Amino acid sequence: MGAVRGCNIPEDLMYSIDNNVWVRKESDGTATVGLTSYAGSLAGQIVSYTPKKVGKEVKKDKSCATVESGKWVGPAKTPVTGEIVAINDAVAAKPGLINEDPYGEGWLVKIKPTDWDGESGDLKTGADALAAFEAKMDADGFGGC
Amino acid sequence: MRDAKTLRVLDTGLRRAAENMALNRALLESHQAGTSPHTLRFLRFTPSALLGFHQDVEQELRTDYCAEHGIDIQRRITGGGAIYFDETQIGWELYLDKAFLGTADMGAIARKICEAAAEGISALGVDARYRPRNDIEVDGRKISGTGGAFDGDSIMYQGTLLIDFDVERMLRVLRIPAEKLSDKAIESARDRVANLKDLLGGNMPSFDEVQKRLAESFARAFDVKLEWADAMNAAEEGAFQEALAEIDTPEWIYQHNRPATDATMREAITRSQGGTMRVGVAVDPARNQLKQLWITGDFFVKPQRLVVDLEGALRNTPIEALEANVKAFFEAHPAEMLMLTPEDFVTAIRAALDAEEARA
């Protein structure tokens, strides 16, 4: 598994560096979206999670869920356009899963992408993603996870 | 249009909660879009009960008391708990970005801003200090509570400053147990907050003076110059009208977001003739109490708000009293239901209570 400054960044996932989220195309054609371990580290312990409703269309780089940590509230922005097909009940019951298991149990939403081939080209993966996160952490003045 | 070394200062005056919340949204979005400079805004409220973004109206506020006393109910875009805000407080807030602050760490940003705010309050003649994670206090008594919102690299961080705050009124607005409204309990709540007027007595500064001290302190802390402005720019005005159209509505205020809680969470789905009901419960195992619950599904009830009223009524219900409380609720609240009975609610809530604990 890849890591940057102590933050896990699995090299097999695709990332929107600006949005600090990952996405994985599943075999059924849906795409799973979640926050990176880096985003979770910046936010601190996440205490609330409100996803957009199932059936709602969300646009690339717009909010697909709202999270709260230590009185901070902000959007998690989807890296691809599509319809929300699933939200995570386990995270609704225990939002801390986003910090504890960001690439597994702590996923945010599943989306049916409308233009995966067109939009996923903007995303980064593998060594490119690691380098891009290194640069982002530098710009953010981030010490490490 | 945005100068890294300049902080615009805006005073948007006394406004309704909906306008202040819409300005939060508009200025944060405009900052993120690059059409807003770094900004310090001062704001004041006509009487308002303000929920945290993830809270529910019925679970947090005495809506009847608010209605009787002309207190607006609104939802913040920031986190934390419900507060009461009126003319006896001043609000301050900053619109900045991560590059300006030199860090993207949310905890570090809160600390940096609160420490600067504490210095500004201290310049008025009291000894104010930052109390992690989100408060500013004087001798252990809270004088300012804070919270934030972010959008991309832009952040908005806001706080209150108590000038002559009425603690008893706050307690009556918030939905808290009746025993907390005894004279003694109110006195003890009063002991935990600090009012600038009590601390300074006859030397009470004017609003202008308070603003000046806070602004100077932020300018020092961030090493920027201040630029006092008297109006927003055209892009911000447009964003404000757009945000107001969304926020000044019951849909925004009464939206149903799931609660955060440390209690054990359980959930179950049941089906009856009336439809599918999904119930989530937060249980306090030590007290064997239903702390709170939320009910969703495709069943039909009228009036629609009945479901949130039921959720509110069942808050902190001892589990053995569940049946009796549901029955009493429906006797007191006439409802129109399609193929649905009060017993269906009891069954659905029981199923959730009996469900396995949500994955730990």
Side-chain angles (χ1 to χ4, degrees):
Chain A
M1 182 181 267
V4 184
R5 299 194 187 185
C7 308
N8 287 332
I9 305 287
E11 289 165 276
D12 57 331
L13 297 174
M14 304 188 82
Y15 297 90
S16 160
I17 309 297
D18 283 348
N19 297 343
N20 221 337
V21 295
W22 59 268
V23 59
R24 180 177 59 226
K25 184 92 179 284
E26 309 292 354
S27 53
D28 63 0
T30 64
T32 306
V33 175
L35 288 182
T36 66
S37 60
Y38 176 40
S41 175
L42 288 177
Q45 179 74 38
I46 292 170
V47 298
S48 284
Y49 151 84
T50 303
K52 298 280 185 202
K53 293 194 169 50
V54 169
K56 180 152 175 85
E57 157 109 358
V58 289
K59 292 240 170 356
K60 179 178 189 291
D61 299 332
K62 297 289 180 191
S63 175
C64 63
T66 305
V67 296
E68 176 171 345
S69 63
K71 294 203 183 176
W72 283 100
V73 169
K77 297 183 176 181
T78 173
V80 291
T81 300
E83 180 193 333
I84 306 259
V85 291
I87 58 175
N88 191 339
D89 292 335
V91 165
K94 194 175 176 228
L97 281 176
I98 296 170
N99 299 96
E100 289 162 27
D101 191 10
Y103 307 109
E105 298 288 317
W107 58 272
L108 297 175
V109 294
K110 291 184 191 289
I111 288 175
K112 194 166 106 193
T114 46
D115 182 19
W116 173 266
D117 292 340
E119 289 178 342
S120 62
D122 298 343
L123 305 176
K124 288 198 163 27
T125 189
D128 285 353
L130 299 185
F133 274 112
E134 176 66 39
K136 183 182 178 71
M137 289 178 190
D138 207 44
D140 285 349
F142 181 68
C145 279
Chain B
M1 87 139 304
R2 180 182 298 162
D3 179 62
K5 284 285 164 198
T6 303
L7 186 63
R8 176 183 58 167
V9 188
L10 266 182
D11 176 0
T12 53
L14 183 67
R15 287 177 185 255
R16 288 191 303 131
E19 293 185 356
N20 276 325
M21 301 298 107
L23 282 165
N24 285 159
R25 156 85 57 91
L27 292 172
L28 179 58
E29 281 182 1
S30 300
H31 192 278
Q32 163 70 5
T35 52
S36 231
H38 298 316
T39 299
L40 166 63
R41 174 168 85 114
F42 291 105
L43 58 159
R44 292 169 63 220
F45 287 78
T46 54
S48 310
L50 306 176
L51 294 173
F53 177 78
H54 281 100
Q55 293 187 308
D56 284 326
V57 173
E58 301 292 335
Q59 290 180 344
E60 304 299 333
L61 302 176
R62 288 180 199 276
T63 50
D64 46 355
Y65 183 88
C66 292
E68 262 167 52
H69 293 81
I71 296 166
D72 283 344
I73 294 175
Q74 255 296 340
R75 174 180 302 282
R76 301 196 303 270
I77 68 166
T78 56
I83 59 171
Y84 173 66
F85 214 129
D86 66 11
E87 298 89 338
T88 67
Q89 298 155 77
I90 293 182
W92 53 268
E93 59 196 24
L94 287 159
Y95 299 83
L96 306 170
D97 61 21
K98 293 169 181 176
F100 180 97
L101 290 153
T103 176
D105 181 295
M106 297 294 174
I109 291 172
R111 167 180 292 272
K112 215 167 186 166
I113 293 174
C114 287
E115 283 176 349
E119 270 194 36
I121 297 168
S122 292
L124 296 166
V126 299
D127 182 18
R129 290 163 195 242
Y130 169 54
R131 176 169 67 194
R133 284 181 308 190
N134 299 92
D135 291 336
I136 297 166
E137 61 170 39
V138 175
D139 289 333
R141 302 166 74 182
K142 181 166 164 176
I143 194 164
S144 174
T146 69
F150 61 91
D151 182 3
D153 284 335
S154 294
I155 66 109
M156 185 271 287
Y157 200 81
Q158 60 186 190
T160 54
L161 177 59
L162 306 183
I163 306 290
D164 190 12
F165 185 55
D166 183 346
V167 170
E168 180 169 351
R169 189 147 223 230
M170 171 193 75
L171 294 173
R172 293 195 186 283
V173 164
L174 302 182
R175 187 165 186 147
I176 53 172
E179 61 266 27
K180 287 207 181 156
L181 292 174
S182 69
D183 289 350
K184 205 174 152 194
I186 290 169
E187 210 40 58
S188 122
R190 238 177 232 140
D191 283 343
R192 288 197 295 276
V193 303
N195 267 315
L196 208 53
K197 195 174 174 189
D198 296 338
L199 295 169
L200 295 176
N203 302 318
M204 190 51 208
S206 63
F207 280 134
D208 284 353
E209 171 83 4
V210 172
Q211 295 187 1
K212 189 160 168 281
R213 294 294 181 199
L214 274 169
E216 284 168 353
S217 180
F218 286 124
R220 255 196 316 277
F222 301 127
D223 190 23
V224 292
K225 67 176 197 302
L226 299 171
E227 190 177 281
W228 296 78
D230 45 20
M232 295 187 288
N233 64 40
E236 292 167 334
E237 271 295 344
F240 169 51
Q241 293 307 331
E242 212 169 287
L244 190 61
E246 186 197 332
I247 282 176
D248 198 9
T249 63
E251 288 72 29
W252 165 259
I253 299 166
Y254 290 88
Q255 65 182 278
H256 199 41
N257 292 328
R258 293 186 168 199
T261 170
D262 291 323
T264 305
M265 308 292 293
R266 296 171 200 173
E267 206 169 37
I269 296 172
T270 51
R271 288 177 185 82
S272 70
Q273 279 200 303
T276 301
M277 204 178 281
R278 175 186 216 121
V279 177
V281 292
V283 180
D284 180 343
R287 295 198 184 81
N288 206 29
Q289 258 188 17
L290 177 58
K291 271 193 61 156
Q292 46 187 335
L293 79 163
W294 58 97
I295 305 170
T296 53
D298 60 8
F299 52 86
F300 176 84
V301 291
K302 214 175 163 186
Q304 258 186 339
R305 53 165 296 145
L306 195 90
V307 174
V308 277
D309 284 346
L310 176 64
E311 292 174 355
L314 293 179
R315 214 179 176 199
N316 300 321
T317 289
I319 288 173
E320 73 269 19
L322 177 66
E323 272 86 346
N325 286 4
V326 171
K327 191 162 169 256
F329 175 85
F330 279 102
E331 278 167 10
H333 297 78
E336 208 184 312
M337 302 197 279
L338 204 63
M339 315 274 279
L340 200 66
T341 65
E343 283 70 34
D344 291 330
F345 284 92
V346 173
T347 306
I349 297 165
R350 276 277 167 213
L353 289 170
D354 293 338
E356 299 248 332
E357 188 177 337
R359 222 162 333 188

